Amino acid sequence: MKTRLIPALIFFLFISTASISQNAAQDSTMLKKLYTTALSDGKAYDWLDYLSNQIGGRLSGSFEAERAVKYTEAELKELGLDKVWLQPVMVPKWTRGFKEYAYIESPSGEKTVTNILALGGSVPTPNLGIKAEVVEVHNFEELASLGRQKIEGKIVFFNRPMQPDLIHTGHAYGGASNQRYSGAAEATKYGAIGVLVRSLSLKNDSAPHTGAMSYGDTPESKRIPAAAISTKDADYLSGLLKLEPQLQFYFKQNCKIWDDVLSYNVIGEITGTTYPDKYMVVGGHLDSWDVGDGAHDDGAGVTQSMEVLRLFKKLNYKPKHSIRVVLFMNEENGLRGGLKYAEEAKRKNETHVFALESDSGGFTPRGFSLETDDANLAQIRSWAPLFEPYLIHLFDEGYSGADIRPMKGNINVLAGLQPDSQRYFDIHHSANDTFEQINKRELELGAATMASLMYLMDTYGAK
Amino acid sequence: MKTRLIPALIFFLFISTASISQNAAQDSTMLKKLYTTALSDGKAYDWLDYLSNQIGGRLSGSFEAERAVKYTEAELKELGLDKVWLQPVMVPKWTRGFKEYAYIESPSGEKTVTNILALGGSVPTPNLGIKAEVVEVHNFEELASLGRQKIEGKIVFFNRPMQPDLIHTGHAYGGASNQRYSGAAEATKYGAIGVLVRSLSLKNDSAPHTGAMSYGDTPESKRIPAAAISTKDADYLSGLLKLEPQLQFYFKQNCKIWDDVLSYNVIGEITGTTYPDKYMVVGGHLDSWDVGDGAHDDGAGVTQSMEVLRLFKKLNYKPKHSIRVVLFMNEENGLRGGLKYAEEAKRKNETHVFALESDSGGFTPRGFSLETDDANLAQIRSWAPLFEPYLIHLFDEGYSGADIRPMKGNINVLAGLQPDSQRYFDIHHSANDTFEQINKRELELGAATMASLMYLMDTYGAK
């Protein structure tokens, strides 16, 4: 038996090794084609130029957001996909208004004008604005320890900087963002009349950065206005407070919360040849903040995702699974698009095996952040050598993407593209998130990296 | 014997493992300190601000280059190093002049003004400029095949683009740069009267990029003027030539080659505690092109190298080897500083074991490019896990740096910092190489990465 087994084993090993190396060679050729096409004949950059410069900032419920829906739907139809459609979703509508204005007033009456941006979702100030003394705090514990006696009637100034010594700037963002998201709700508990937040940026400049905030369960009548000031102004205000604790801060903003309005996720599909009923999703979010033009957040992810399907069509690759590009609406201030897509997938009993999101800027890709089990993690990590020529080296376990996470529990693998993170928060949610900050090659490398993972997931399937 | 050996072996393994992990813990702590200090209390960015904005472009032999020597010498003296000195070196002096002007003239006399930059080292045109028909070629073989009959009396236009599908943009640069460096010398052989070169950039824009060129052994009387045009203008001219092959190109430049002048390498040293006579060098080049302010090429490398020694002083790290920062003069158009340093090291019989250069821009560091033997390569690669938290993953064999390579053959390890390469050639040698293109954190991460390798080389020595 033994002697007969050995030749069989050798034969088996031979076949298996041969087929592995044949597959590896095929995969390597396909990745090369994807990267070469994206870099020498890509479309993402032109799409992003249009989205950024001809449409611009596209907050949910705005005219620009609706133009972005129509534009991307039309462009997807041009690609000759099997299906392109709009998925209706009700989204919140918040508008900034046009009267943001602020200054620091010294006890002797000297005024220093300061840039502010109302936080997304904030209530307006009264028409004439508010003016009050400022209490600087760095976290909610410090706020609580000061208590109502020190806070009542004041403006609370949250000034905890992002930690500069963290290598992933996303971790530094995560460590500082509760001030912006929940600062107003917390400060209200102690009778504050307004909130200022240090911008979530690692750059020392004069640009304020907006972003979503929530009043939690604060009753409507008790909600206080909240605005961001720049890192430079935050340092200035903090220094001045040490000299003149009695100084006052004035700000005025006439933002408004409207009734929800109808909008859409934009979806395109190449129907699978072998498993038409198993879905793989690639996407980003179509909405952006109203300041800047949303080129990095998340015009980049939108156009990279569209490029994945364009590359497949261009290279005449016919996927086994049905591959969908989903351009999610309302990530920034509601996540309604992501929630709606997951809800509809569940309602229709659609089997989703893989979703990949790009929502960390259009910078040089470094790898992926994965939410999955050990078997899938091992399979994906086994592809690392294929990615090496493209300097893709991160296959980390971690947060994938806001829009695809609502599918968690009903999907095998969630992945987020990990671009180089150093420059992202310098521009994120500010007037500096513009097309000029995009490097064409970096954007294209990201698209090719996404297409490569999608190709491999389609070829080998999820575990 | 057998039974007695095993406990001994276990004991040995235990000791050896314990000491390895103790070392690894120490090293890991030191790297953490280096990165944390560079990112939260760094000096490179402020130095670079001064060098770029208060001094500016600093071509060898210029007033700005001499100011850069004085400034960096003074700043190194502030650090409390053991020695700071200037190493004299004669450098070439070439000046651009102020009359660069060019246009395309159609057969019907229509003129389209075009940006040009004389190549460094080019002769001027005659005072009134030159005007001639244009012959577009893509390589020297094509030039030779056209021959004197087609070339004589014409302007040769080298228009081979950098290859967009190469992932390392340095490889794409290498594949196109002979047009700039030797284009004039080659075209002269066939009687051309001038040379235009497509800028060595992967970006489609209107900025011409200069850079060094050489006439080789072309006699002085036969040297023809050479200039760069932007990638956008190159595409435009190429398109127009297909429609109107008889069009003419006019250009005028009054650049000048002067006698060599005295300049300096700027050197600072921390003398080693254990091996004061063994040297390790970290450096970049102090000169830059005259357009832009040389922030990335190579202000970044200069200030990162200074930062390495500042970090060691600040953390009170006393190196075993003598560690020198060398700010080389004249990398761009002569390499005289690098040659002089190597020559003097040899003349004085100084033992150099390691040199590290940063001259590929101040972008996010990805790793190192190493010129050494297998034993050193293996040692350096064994440190990869220490670098992993900082996303440093490349330990490639390859070109180190122009200024340190003259030491090759007399040194154990040559290393070049490898930053992300995607944006570098967009700005390289052009008016767009300015401080605004620098990201503070990326610059600092590079400095910390260099300091980390220097620390490890100092701790474990070269093989």
Side-chain angles (χ1 to χ4, degrees):
Chain A
M1 177 102 188
K2 228 176 179 178
T3 45
R4 295 192 58 180
L5 191 67
I6 289 166
L9 199 66
I10 287 170
F11 180 73
F12 172 78
L13 281 172
F14 174 77
I15 289 297
S16 138
T17 311
S19 92
I20 282 169
S21 51
Q22 198 191 337
N23 285 348
Q26 262 172 21
D27 294 341
S28 158
T29 303
M30 182 63 178
L31 263 61
K32 175 90 179 150
K33 278 187 200 163
L34 289 167
Y35 277 94
T36 299
T37 311
L39 284 168
S40 39
D41 187 23
K43 189 93 199 268
Y45 192 69
D46 287 345
W47 277 327
L48 187 52
D49 187 357
Y50 193 94
L51 204 57
S52 307
N53 290 318
Q54 302 302 318
I55 297 179
R58 41 199 178 277
L59 194 52
S60 294
S62 67
F63 177 61
E64 289 81 3
E66 294 320 294
R67 281 193 64 206
V69 167
K70 292 209 172 76
Y71 171 67
T72 51
E73 182 193 19
E75 290 297 314
L76 288 179
K77 284 186 171 164
E78 285 288 308
L79 298 183
L81 307 179
D82 296 310
K83 293 181 211 162
V84 174
W85 72 100
L86 302 183
Q87 183 174 57
V89 53
M90 295 301 291
V91 296
K93 177 170 176 170
W94 175 88
T95 53
R96 180 170 302 284
F98 50 90
K99 282 183 179 166
E100 292 177 333
Y101 180 65
Y103 58 79
I104 300 167
E105 187 174 318
S106 73
S108 58
E110 227 178 323
K111 291 173 184 171
T112 307
V113 171
T114 302
N115 296 328
I116 58 165
L117 278 180
L119 296 183
S122 172
V123 296
T125 60
N127 263 347
L128 293 176
I130 58 172
K131 185 159 78 172
E133 285 186 12
V134 174
V135 182
E136 177 178 344
V137 299
H138 299 86
N139 52 58
F140 298 157
E141 295 69 39
E142 191 182 349
L143 181 75
S145 76
L146 291 173
R148 182 165 286 271
Q149 208 191 341
K150 299 272 177 65
I151 302 292
E152 187 149 40
K154 308 270 177 69
I155 292 171
V156 170
F157 166 36
F158 288 100
N159 193 29
R160 182 166 83 257
M162 282 170 68
Q163 222 182 299
D165 59 335
L166 299 175
I167 305 302
H168 282 286
T169 59
H171 298 165
Y173 180 74
S177 61
N178 69 343
Q179 304 172 100
R180 187 194 75 205
Y181 193 73
S182 306
E186 290 298 314
T188 308
K189 295 179 185 167
Y190 311 101
I193 64 161
V195 156
L196 291 179
V197 182
R198 179 192 183 91
S199 283
L200 295 175
S201 168
L202 283 154
K203 190 172 182 182
N204 182 33
D205 69 8
S206 300
H209 296 232
T210 188
M213 54 90 71
S214 161
Y215 290 106
D217 52 9
T218 313
E220 240 171 84
S221 63
K222 295 206 160 180
R223 296 178 179 181
I224 61 175
I229 62 172
S230 72
T231 51
K232 211 163 191 165
D233 284 340
D235 288 341
Y236 177 72
L237 178 58
S238 178
L240 216 56
L241 278 169
K242 288 183 184 65
L243 297 173
E244 312 205 54
Q246 310 305 317
L247 68 77
Q248 296 199 297
F249 194 88
Y250 169 86
F251 74 111
K252 182 167 76 168
Q253 57 193 30
N254 68 339
C255 37
K256 187 170 171 180
I257 301 158
W258 306 72
D259 288 340
D260 288 359
V261 299
L262 179 64
S263 186
Y264 305 92
N265 292 329
V266 181
I267 308 179
E269 181 182 305
I270 304 176
T271 305
T273 52
T274 316
Y275 313 112
D277 297 336
K278 287 188 175 177
Y279 297 95
M280 296 191 165
V281 165
V282 59
H285 64 84
L286 199 47
D287 64 310
S288 77
W289 284 102
D290 53 335
V291 292
D293 61 33
H296 275 287
D297 186 13
D298 184 27
V302 161
T303 56
Q304 287 172 325
S305 299
M306 292 165 70
E307 180 74 352
V308 170
L309 274 72
R310 193 193 71 91
L311 289 171
F312 287 168
K313 289 297 287 185
K314 180 149 188 92
L315 296 174
N316 204 22
Y317 175 70
K318 297 187 194 311
K320 297 181 194 173
H321 302 76
S322 288
I323 297 185
R324 285 183 183 164
V325 53
V326 183
L327 312 179
F328 298 94
M329 185 51 70
N330 186 231
E331 188 272 346
E332 292 296 0
N333 58 341
L335 204 67
R336 299 281 183 84
L339 294 166
K340 171 61 80 177
Y341 184 83
E343 180 191 310
E344 286 294 298
K346 203 168 177 183
R347 194 180 61 78
K348 294 180 185 162
N349 253 323
E350 289 174 348
T351 304
H352 278 72
V353 292
F354 175 51
L356 168 60
E357 178 157 4
S358 166
D359 184 22
S360 303
F363 301 95
T364 300
R366 305 290 297 263
F368 302 97
S369 183
L370 302 155
E371 299 187 72
T372 186
D373 55 19
D374 289 348
N376 279 293
L377 207 56
Q379 169 168 269
I380 292 170
R381 286 179 176 163
S382 78
W383 300 329
L386 288 165
F387 282 102
E388 221 178 84
Y390 310 103
L391 310 185
I392 299 302
H393 64 115
L394 298 175
F395 299 88
D396 298 338
E397 278 190 279
Y399 181 87
S400 56
D403 297 290
I404 59 175
R405 288 190 100 215
M407 287 189 271
K408 199 166 175 173
N410 292 311
I411 191 163
N412 306 51
V413 179
L414 292 168
L417 183 71
Q418 269 201 73
D420 192 288
S421 77
Q422 299 310 320
R423 293 175 181 234
Y424 188 50
F425 293 101
D426 292 359
I427 55 165
H428 180 250
H429 296 185
S430 82
N432 294 326
D433 181 1
T434 59
F435 186 68
E436 290 71 42
Q437 303 297 326
I438 297 281
N439 176 279
K440 182 170 180 281
R441 290 176 58 82
E442 293 177 0
L443 184 77
E444 291 166 347
L445 284 168
T449 303
M450 293 164 73
S452 296
L453 183 62
M454 184 56 83
Y455 158 78
L456 290 165
M457 286 298 300
D458 179 56
T459 302
Y460 297 101
K463 299 283 173 189
Chain B
M1 180 101 186
K2 228 176 179 178
T3 45
R4 296 191 58 179
L5 190 68
I6 289 167
L9 198 67
I10 287 171
F11 180 74
F12 173 77
L13 280 174
F14 174 79
I15 289 297
S16 138
T17 312
S19 91
I20 283 169
S21 52
Q22 198 192 337
N23 286 348
Q26 261 171 21
D27 294 340
S28 157
T29 303
M30 182 63 179
L31 263 62
K32 175 89 180 153
K33 277 187 201 166
L34 290 167
Y35 277 93
T36 299
T37 309
L39 285 168
S40 41
D41 187 22
K43 189 93 198 267
Y45 191 70
D46 288 345
W47 278 326
L48 187 52
D49 187 356
Y50 193 94
L51 205 57
S52 308
N53 290 319
Q54 301 301 319
I55 296 179
R58 42 199 178 277
L59 195 51
S60 294
S62 67
F63 177 61
E64 290 81 3
E66 294 321 293
R67 281 192 64 204
V69 166
K70 292 211 172 73
Y71 171 65
T72 50
E73 181 193 19
E75 290 297 314
L76 287 179
K77 284 186 172 164
E78 284 288 308
L79 298 183
L81 307 179
D82 296 310
K83 294 180 210 161
V84 174
W85 71 99
L86 301 183
Q87 183 174 57
V89 53
M90 294 301 291
V91 295
K93 177 170 175 168
W94 174 88
T95 54
R96 180 170 303 284
F98 49 91
K99 283 184 179 165
E100 292 177 332
Y101 181 65
Y103 58 79
I104 300 166
E105 186 174 318
S106 74
S108 58
E110 225 177 323
K111 292 173 184 170
T112 307
V113 172
T114 303
N115 296 328
I116 59 164
L117 277 181
L119 297 184
S122 173
V123 296
T125 60
N127 263 347
L128 292 175
I130 57 173
K131 187 159 79 171
E133 285 187 12
V134 175
V135 182
E136 177 177 344
V137 299
H138 299 86
N139 52 57
F140 298 157
E141 294 70 39
E142 191 182 351
L143 182 75
S145 76
L146 291 173
R148 183 166 284 271
Q149 206 192 343
K150 298 273 178 66
I151 302 292
E152 188 149 39
K154 308 271 176 67
I155 292 171
V156 170
F157 166 36
F158 288 99
N159 192 28
R160 181 164 86 257
M162 283 169 67
Q163 221 182 300
D165 58 335
L166 298 176
I167 305 302
H168 282 286
T169 59
H171 298 165
Y173 180 74
S177 61
N178 69 344
Q179 304 172 102
R180 188 194 75 204
Y181 193 75
S182 305
E186 290 297 314
T188 308
K189 295 180 186 168
Y190 311 101
I193 64 161
V195 156
L196 291 179
V197 182
R198 179 191 182 92
S199 284
L200 296 175
S201 167
L202 284 153
K203 191 172 182 181
N204 181 32
D205 68 9
S206 299
H209 296 232
T210 188
M213 55 90 71
S214 161
Y215 289 106
D217 52 9
T218 313
E220 240 172 85
S221 63
K222 294 206 159 180
R223 294 178 181 183
I224 61 174
I229 62 173
S230 72
T231 51
K232 212 163 191 164
D233 283 340
D235 288 342
Y236 177 72
L237 177 58
S238 178
L240 216 57
L241 278 169
K242 289 183 183 66
L243 296 172
E244 312 204 54
Q246 311 304 317
L247 67 77
Q248 296 199 297
F249 194 89
Y250 168 86
F251 74 112
K252 181 167 76 167
Q253 56 193 30
N254 67 338
C255 36
K256 186 170 172 182
I257 300 160
W258 306 72
D259 288 338
D260 288 359
V261 299
L262 179 64
S263 188
Y264 305 92
N265 292 329
V266 181
I267 308 179
E269 180 183 305
I270 303 176
T271 305
T273 52
T274 315
Y275 313 112
D277 298 335
K278 286 188 175 177
Y279 298 94
M280 296 191 164
V281 165
V282 59
H285 64 83
L286 199 47
D287 64 310
S288 77
W289 284 102
D290 53 334
V291 293
D293 61 33
H296 275 287
D297 187 13
D298 183 26
V302 161
T303 56
Q304 286 171 325
S305 299
M306 292 165 70
E307 180 74 351
V308 170
L309 273 73
R310 192 194 71 91
L311 289 171
F312 286 169
K313 289 297 288 183
K314 181 152 186 88
L315 296 175
N316 204 22
Y317 174 71
K318 298 189 194 312
K320 297 182 196 173
H321 302 75
S322 288
I323 297 184
R324 286 184 182 163
V325 53
V326 183
L327 312 179
F328 298 94
M329 184 51 70
N330 186 232
E331 189 271 345
E332 293 296 0
N333 58 339
L335 203 67
R336 299 281 183 85
L339 294 166
K340 171 62 80 176
Y341 184 84
E343 182 191 308
E344 287 294 298
K346 204 169 175 182
R347 194 179 62 78
K348 295 181 187 163
N349 252 323
E350 290 174 347
T351 305
H352 278 72
V353 291
F354 174 53
L356 168 60
E357 179 157 3
S358 165
D359 184 22
S360 303
F363 301 96
T364 301
R366 303 291 294 266
F368 303 97
S369 184
L370 301 155
E371 299 188 72
T372 186
D373 56 19
D374 289 349
N376 279 293
L377 207 56
Q379 169 168 268
I380 292 170
R381 285 179 176 162
S382 77
W383 299 329
L386 288 166
F387 281 102
E388 222 179 82
Y390 310 102
L391 310 183
I392 299 302
H393 64 115
L394 298 176
F395 300 88
D396 298 338
E397 277 191 280
Y399 181 87
S400 56
D403 297 289
I404 58 174
R405 287 190 100 215
M407 286 189 272
K408 201 166 174 173
N410 293 310
I411 192 164
N412 306 52
V413 180
L414 292 168
L417 183 72
Q418 269 201 74
D420 192 287
S421 77
Q422 299 310 320
R423 293 175 181 233
Y424 188 50
F425 293 101
D426 293 359
I427 54 165
H428 181 249
H429 296 184
S430 83
N432 294 326
D433 181 1
T434 59
F435 186 68
E436 291 69 43
Q437 303 296 325
I438 297 281
N439 177 278
K440 182 171 180 282
R441 291 176 59 81
E442 293 177 359
L443 183 77
E444 291 166 346
L445 285 168
T449 303
M450 293 164 74
S452 296
L453 184 61
M454 185 55 84
Y455 157 78
L456 290 165
M457 286 299 299
D458 178 56
T459 302
Y460 297 102
K463 300 282 173 189

